[in-house]
Amino acid sequence: MDKKNLSEQEWVYNYLHKCNKPLPLVLGSRGTWGINGKKAIILVAFTLPDISVMRVLHNVRKNPIREMKYRDIVYYAVNMVDQKQVEYVIDYWKE
């Protein structure tokens, strides 16, 4: 049976429907997420204050916040694509 790679939207949708108390997410912290063939981290939160705090915590204040609407959910996301930052976060989450 082939395992389908999920899009960001599908992954977040499934997470929200399986979790009673969803927390903000750091997608790609294992080095498995990519954008245009390069490793990336996607910060995801379900309120604007939470995504704003995540941007500060991960030193990406200048990266734009995307409001994402998918099916019956709304969430906020920030892409991290700077390779040094991405590698730092991947290494940090390995510990």
Side-chain angles (χ1 to χ4, degrees), residues 28-31 39 41 86-94:
S29 58
R30 293 187 178 153
K39 287 183 182 176
I41 300 291
V86 168
E87 290 169 5
Y88 173 81
V89 171
I90 290 170
D91 289 342
Y92 177 84
W93 282 94
K94 283 180 184 177

Side-chain angles (χ1 to χ4, degrees), residues 30-56:
R30 293 187 178 153
T32 58
W33 212 270
I35 297 175
N36 297 327
K38 294 184 178 181
K39 287 183 182 176
I41 300 291
I42 302 172
L43 306 175
V44 175
F46 306 103
T47 68
L48 278 171
D50 283 347
I51 197 67
S52 296
V53 168
M54 289 186 71
R55 279 195 319 175
V56 171

Side-chain angles (χ1 to χ4, degrees), residues 65-80:
I65 296 172
R66 299 181 282 119
E67 181 180 76
M68 302 299 296
K69 297 176 183 178
Y70 181 74
R71 296 185 184 181
D72 61 343
I73 66 168
V74 176
Y75 66 93
Y76 302 92
V78 173
N79 292 349
M80 290 179 65

